[in-house]
Amino acid sequence: MPAPSGTTTDAGPARPGTDHGTDGTHPGGSGGSGGSGGSGGSGHPTTPPGQGTGTGTTSTALTRAQLWTRARGFLLAVAVLLTAAVALAGLRSGDHHGRLDPRSADPDGSRALAQLLKERGVTTRVVTNAQEAATAAGPGTTLLVADPDLLGEPQRRAIRSAIDLSGGRTVLVAPGSPTLPELAPAAHAKGFAHQRDLDPGTPACTLPAADTAGRAGTGDGLRYTTDLPGATGCYPSGGHPTLLVLPSTTKGGDTVLLGSETFLLNKRLADEGNASLALQLLGSRPELVWYLPTPADMSADPGTDAQDPALLDLVPAGWTWALLQLFVAAALAALWRARRLGPLVTEDLPVAIRASEATEGHARLYRRADARDRAATVLRAAARERLAPLVGVPAPQAHDPAALVPAVSARLTAGGRPSDPAALLFGTTPADDAALVALADHLDALEREVRSS
């Protein structure tokens, strides 16, 4: 009879008495062929048509439809997050411009101050180019430089020209040692003030704005010192002022050094006398030119036409971190949703295979590989599992010699047929094929004796 599809068989005929199960069962009856599949104590059921015997093929492949079903939820969530992020960024783009920006309503912006100045008739003009800021400065203007330490040498020259020639007020916010020699050579930085709110320091402070405002949050920044005649220092910390007013060489002009920008921010404007001090310092002229240095301005030379920025120069710096966070989130989501190796999915074989034929196939494979040790181990394990419930040994102890052998021996002795089952159930590997066949016969005989005792 030709071998059905799905089985592996040897070309030679099966030897009678060797068709013993090798997967935890074996056919019953000494010397039986096992063809019936259910004779003796083997317990092999005949395979119903259309069903496999446990040796069917397995598959873990996914179809495109299954992949889409599993991934569509995650892809939809990512799309919603990206859409929400873009929409939120678009809605807030008009209100978020950065620290100390008069257009920003963020806690670190200065929009509240700009609104108060507007109510008092002061026009605020935001510029991002040093040459434009110097051109706009005049006797009726206050020029505020948001971060002087960011300026390059050409930008510092332009601001210095405005200080000397405009005749207006120039407010430098927290200028440090790199900037002072060019923008305010008469002043020097003297370290940091560790107090947040300071008193004006009267009577040494003769600035009317400080006397009116009283205590203000000018601390937590730099302190200054100067020997210039006519200079006014206010809000001292440790003997050095945090607000310094230097007279200009042009009549009516002056330069104000602020050690800290904190009292100009939205989050601190309502504290102490911050609002009063800020309004008087920046509202003394009808026009306020608010200069915010930018990277594009730093790369251009004042007085020359700046080249158009590249596309990447127009992308805000915060988007770099946003993209990095998105990549990290995507990687974590991929690890979370990645397919793990689960249990195999059993598929029906295309043809029905009888249990006896599968057993013969396994037996021939063992014989071809000369695997007597493996065959003997399987035969003995199957016999122990069938004997354990017969002699009252729990299933977990079926392979424990100390529990199974005495119980089997007691059953055989009680039946009047003394025997030593230890060598059969837990013995050594048979030396040849004949010994293996004899072992199978003896195991069958032992099981029949226990059943009949």
Side-chain angles (χ1 to χ4, degrees), residues 277-373:
L277 180 62
L279 289 173
Q280 294 181 77
L281 289 177
L282 303 183
S284 60
R285 273 77 171 172
E287 185 178 1
L288 171 62
V289 179
W290 202 299
Y291 173 37
L292 296 172
T294 62
D297 183 32
M298 298 303 100
S299 61
D301 189 356
T304 62
D305 293 334
Q307 296 181 353
D308 293 336
L311 178 60
L312 294 179
D313 296 334
L314 300 177
V315 178
W319 279 103
T320 303
W321 291 105
L323 289 176
L324 179 60
Q325 293 177 18
L326 287 177
F327 279 123
V328 172
L332 293 177
L335 292 176
W336 169 51
R337 298 294 297 174
R339 174 172 172 79
R340 271 74 170 178
L341 293 179
L344 298 178
V345 179
T346 303
E347 297 182 351
D348 293 337
L349 288 173
V351 295
I353 302 176
R354 298 179 62 183
S356 59
E357 295 178 356
T359 302
E360 291 178 7
H362 280 97
R364 290 193 177 105
L365 289 175
Y366 283 147
R367 183 179 182 183
R368 179 179 298 177
D370 202 19
R372 286 185 296 274
D373 54 346

Side-chain angles (χ1 to χ4, degrees), residues 136-390:
T141 63
T142 299
L143 173 60
L144 182 143
V145 183
D147 199 342
D149 288 346
L150 291 179
L151 302 179
E153 184 177 354
Q155 288 74 27
R156 290 196 295 266
R157 286 199 307 265
I159 299 302
R160 181 62 198 180
S161 175
I163 293 174
D164 293 337
L165 303 177
S166 67
R169 168 169 287 180
T170 303
V171 179
L172 303 178
V173 181
S177 299
T179 306
L180 288 174
E182 291 190 49
L183 299 184
H188 305 280
K190 295 295 291 186
F192 290 88
H194 299 292
Q195 300 91 344
R196 186 179 69 174
D197 299 324
L198 300 171
D199 294 320
T202 54
C205 176
T206 59
L207 184 66
D211 184 58
T212 303
R215 188 175 179 83
T218 61
D220 285 342
L222 292 171
R223 302 177 300 166
Y224 302 100
T225 182
T226 183
D227 296 330
L228 183 67
T232 302
C234 299
Y235 298 99
S237 175
H240 298 286
T242 58
L243 188 154
L244 185 62
V245 182
L246 304 175
S248 176
T249 56
T250 303
K251 183 179 180 180
D254 59 12
T255 301
V256 180
L257 306 183
L258 300 179
S260 173
E261 77 280 9
T262 305
F263 72 99
L264 303 176
L265 304 179
N266 295 329
K267 62 183 179 181
R268 291 295 312 280
L269 191 63
D271 297 344
E272 301 289 349
N274 293 346
S276 175
L277 180 62
L279 289 173
Q280 294 181 77
L281 289 177
L282 303 183
S284 60
R285 273 77 171 172
E287 185 178 1
L288 171 62
V289 179
W290 202 299
Y291 173 37
L292 296 172
T294 62
D297 183 32
M298 298 303 100
S299 61
D301 189 356
T304 62
D305 293 334
Q307 296 181 353
D308 293 336
L311 178 60
L312 294 179
D313 296 334
L314 300 177
V315 178
W319 279 103
T320 303
W321 291 105
L323 289 176
L324 179 60
Q325 293 177 18
L326 287 177
F327 279 123
V328 172
L332 293 177
L335 292 176
W336 169 51
R337 298 294 297 174
R339 174 172 172 79
R340 271 74 170 178
L341 293 179
L344 298 178
V345 179
T346 303
E347 297 182 351
D348 293 337
L349 288 173
V351 295
I353 302 176
R354 298 179 62 183
S356 59
E357 295 178 356
T359 302
E360 291 178 7
H362 280 97
R364 290 193 177 105
L365 289 175
Y366 283 147
R367 183 179 182 183
R368 179 179 298 177
D370 202 19
R372 286 185 296 274
D373 54 346
R374 173 62 180 166
T377 300
V378 173
L379 289 172
R380 283 171 169 148
R384 292 195 296 266
E385 292 175 357
R386 291 192 300 272
L387 288 173
L390 297 178

